[in-house]
């Protein structure tokens, strides 16, 4: 049953250029099942209208877990001396990309901690080699770097960059990122945009001392910055960090944030994050039902995958590489949707990227091989 007051509020948010923070806060505080269902139905409709029914894939390769940062929430922060560290070499990365490409995945996300050893020219060569061998989009996610490095990599062929703001509340950000500067992070995001990367950002839900108002402010931050992709995931405490023993982020609040972000940003790519899949059960399907349109299968090779432990009990850590495809196809089909095997570039208007709407599903080679 549609509740007119709720619809009025959701419509107001949907039609605002920049929504009122109080309106977003009210929706984030919905507890009534009917109100929440109305929000999710609406955000799912908006997803369908602006992004279509394709669920696009971003294959992630976590190529180094070395990190020079001390983020209080993150299991790979430099003070976690219990963690076994690894750094994949060029051949290992290219082999992993080859496998990913054989699965017909057209985006590789190369992610690492802020590895002090990561050399810009080495990264440039990796990007160039990938681009010369495969028709694949490259997303980098290696943290804060100089404008020169970002420029070098963009020129080498990197298409996208993922740098989450984590929280848009400066005081909260500073309290859990020692030695880091909120303004520097904003600067990095600005430079990445100026270099014409497709830029992804995002936040964590349920950080200690984070309020609903701060989350509402994050959504406004996403809108103002017109990001191409926005990753919203629950905070999951890691036993070997400063935030050990804190509460996990709330799933429902994460889903409400995804839904509102869809209403407000309309056509940003929004993943149903692996963190959402790593709670007491896998909630990625729920994410896809309330506004998300992206999944991120893991292609980090087996000896290393379990050491990229940003939080414990990460989904699919023990799965053989490539099996994720099947699982993701099942998820999409169960919702009457399909896996979009295109590069799925940004849907933001005015940008000269290919569009994914109505692209046809294809069966990936690695799936055919697995079925034989
Ligand atoms: N170094 C890069 C950077 O800073 O953007 C990428 C690596 S960082 C480990 C990737 C993401 O992991 C972060 O943006 C953060 O949102 C997420 N993350 C880290 N610790 C987490 C935790 N305990 N729970 C959920 N997500 C976490």
């Amino acid at each position: 049953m549609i509740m007119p007051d709720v619809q009025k509020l959701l419509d107001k948010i949907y039609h605002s250029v920049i929504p009122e923070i109080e309106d977003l806060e009210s929706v984030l505080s919905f507890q009534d099942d009917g109100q929440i269902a109305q929000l999710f139905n609406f955000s799912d409709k908006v997803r369908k209208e602006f992004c279509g029914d394709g669920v696009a894939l971003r294959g992630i390769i976590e190529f180094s877990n070395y990190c020079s940062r001390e983020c209080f929430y993150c299991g790979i922060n430099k003070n976690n001396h219990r963690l076994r560290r690894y750094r994949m070499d060029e051949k290992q990365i290219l082999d992993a990309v080859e496998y990913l490409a054989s699965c017909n995945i057209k985006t590789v996300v190369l992610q690492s901690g802020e590895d002090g050893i990561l050399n810009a020219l080495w990264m440039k060569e990796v990007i160039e080699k990938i681009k010369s061998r495969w028709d694949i989009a490259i997303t980098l996610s290696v943290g804060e770097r100089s404008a020169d490095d970002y420029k070098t990599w963009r020129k080498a062929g990197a298409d996208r960059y993922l740098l989450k703001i984590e929280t848009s509340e400066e005081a909260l950000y500073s309290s859990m990122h020692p030695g880091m500067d909120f303004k520097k992070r904003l600067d990095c995001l600005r430079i990445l945009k100026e270099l014409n990367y497709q830029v992804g950002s995002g936040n964590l839900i349920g950080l200690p001392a984070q309020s609903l108002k701060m989350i509402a402010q994050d959504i406004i931050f996403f809108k103002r910055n017109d990001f191409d992709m926005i990753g919203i995931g629950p905070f999951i405490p890691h036993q070997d960090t400063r935030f050990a023993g804190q509460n996990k982020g709330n799933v429902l609040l994460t889903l409400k944030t995804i839904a509102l972000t869809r209403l407000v940003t309309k056509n940003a790519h929004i993943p149903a994050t692996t963190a959402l899949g790593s709670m007491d059960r896998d909630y990625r399907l729920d994410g896809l039902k309330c506004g998300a349109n992206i999944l991120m299968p893991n292609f980090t090779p087996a000896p290393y995958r379990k050491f990229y432990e940003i939080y414990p009990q990460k989904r699919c850590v023990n799965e053989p590489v490539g099996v994720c495809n099947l699982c993701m196809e099942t998820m999409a089909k169960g919702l009457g949707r399909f896996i979009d095997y295109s590069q799925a570039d940004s849907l933001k208007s005015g940008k000269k990227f290919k569009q994914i709407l109505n692209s046809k599903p294809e069966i990936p080679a690695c799936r055919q091989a697995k079925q034989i």
Side-chain angles (χ1 to χ4, degrees):
M1 200 188 65
I2 299 277
M3 287 172 261
D5 284 0
V6 171
Q7 200 52 48
K8 204 170 155 198
L9 177 59
L10 297 179
D11 284 340
K12 182 179 172 211
I13 291 171
Y14 176 82
H15 289 294
S16 305
V17 178
I18 301 292
E20 302 282 345
I21 195 160
E22 294 77 17
D23 291 342
L24 295 173
E25 232 184 307
S26 298
V27 176
L28 289 172
S29 62
F30 278 178
Q31 289 304 328
D32 175 82
D33 287 349
Q35 290 180 323
I36 294 167
Q38 205 166 319
L39 166 67
F40 290 175
N41 284 338
F42 190 28
S43 58
D44 193 45
K45 264 199 207 150
V46 176
R47 184 273 310 154
K48 192 176 172 69
E49 184 186 347
F50 286 90
C51 308
D53 278 337
V55 176
L57 301 182
R58 315 299 197 205
I60 184 160
I61 299 172
E62 298 144 336
F63 66 92
S64 165
N65 70 353
Y66 279 90
C67 195
S68 55
R69 300 295 192 182
E70 300 179 65
C71 312
F72 286 0
Y73 47 83
C74 186
I76 67 168
N77 84 79
K78 79 166 187 190
N79 298 319
N80 181 5
H81 300 295
R82 293 198 180 162
L83 184 68
R84 196 175 127 190
R85 303 282 169 172
Y86 70 89
R87 187 178 289 120
M88 288 166 62
D89 64 22
E90 181 188 281
K91 178 169 181 335
Q92 289 173 316
I93 296 174
L94 294 176
D95 286 350
V97 177
E98 178 163 42
Y99 186 66
L100 179 153
S102 80
C103 292
N104 214 8
I105 292 190
K106 302 270 176 27
T107 296
V108 58
V109 181
L110 297 176
Q111 190 176 86
S112 71
E114 290 207 14
D115 186 345
I117 297 289
L118 193 139
N119 179 286
L121 293 178
W122 174 85
M123 189 83 247
K124 169 182 176 274
E125 280 176 24
V126 172
I127 295 165
E128 283 169 350
K129 284 186 182 156
I130 293 173
K131 281 298 200 181
S132 68
R133 293 181 198 181
W134 299 283
D135 177 21
I136 198 166
I138 299 179
T139 304
L140 298 177
S141 177
V142 300
E144 295 176 17
R145 302 284 302 204
S146 69
D148 278 351
D149 289 356
Y150 288 152
K151 195 171 179 181
T152 302
W153 299 338
R154 180 79 184 105
K155 272 173 102 179
D159 304 273
R160 308 175 186 152
Y161 204 99
L162 179 58
L163 185 72
K164 286 169 73 173
I165 192 71
E166 318 295 0
T167 170
S168 64
E169 176 67 27
E170 184 167 358
L172 184 65
Y173 182 93
S174 304
S175 72
M176 56 189 66
H177 294 103
M180 291 175 78
D181 180 359
F182 183 75
K183 295 198 173 57
K184 167 97 195 298
R185 200 136 184 111
L186 294 181
D187 240 24
C188 287
L189 286 165
R190 180 186 50 77
I191 291 165
L192 289 163
K193 273 168 163 253
E194 284 169 7
L195 290 168
N196 202 27
Y197 278 93
Q198 297 174 51
V199 179
S201 194
N203 65 350
L204 285 167
I205 302 295
L207 289 165
Q210 184 185 42
S211 65
L212 291 188
K213 190 171 188 177
M214 293 175 194
I215 296 173
Q217 182 184 294
D218 292 347
I219 297 170
I220 293 173
F221 174 81
F222 300 150
K223 172 72 176 184
R224 284 194 195 281
N225 284 280
D226 197 27
F227 292 117
D228 301 292
M229 173 169 148
I230 299 157
I232 297 160
F235 156 67
I236 304 175
H238 188 291
Q239 63 284 2
D240 297 319
T241 62
R242 289 280 291 265
F243 282 170
Q246 296 284 349
N247 291 330
K248 273 186 184 177
N250 180 285
V251 171
L252 189 56
L253 182 58
T254 308
L255 295 174
K256 286 188 272 190
T257 308
I258 289 175
L260 274 174
T261 302
R262 172 60 67 212
L263 292 195
V264 170
T265 67
K266 315 288 189 289
N267 60 358
H269 286 308
I270 302 181
T273 53
T274 307
L276 199 48
S278 307
M279 305 297 277
D280 58 304
R281 72 166 173 81
D282 186 347
Y283 290 95
R284 285 176 298 177
L285 205 59
D286 305 78
L288 290 174
K289 284 196 224 168
C290 72
N293 68 320
I294 301 277
L295 286 168
M296 301 186 70
N298 194 320
F299 281 83
T300 309
Y304 303 123
R305 205 191 292 187
K306 63 175 178 294
F307 300 121
Y308 200 80
E309 200 192 51
I310 50 183
Y311 47 78
Q313 260 100 50
K314 206 162 145 213
R315 172 73 41 193
C316 302
V317 159
N318 298 312
E319 305 290 324
V321 176
V323 160
C324 298
N325 274 46
L326 276 178
C327 160
M328 296 190 177
E329 286 202 19
T330 310
M331 270 197 247
K333 271 194 193 129
L335 298 173
R337 286 155 72 182
F338 62 90
I339 293 294
D340 170 5
Y341 283 101
S342 77
Q343 285 193 6
D345 277 304
S346 172
L347 293 166
K348 294 284 163 190
S349 59
K351 298 199 176 175
K352 294 186 192 77
F353 302 123
K354 284 174 271 167
Q355 303 290 288
I356 62 159
L357 289 179
N358 302 322
S359 53
K360 287 255 161 39
E362 292 167 41
I363 299 185
C366 76
R367 181 183 151 185
Q368 289 166 339
K370 287 230 162 9
Q371 283 177 330
I372 292 165

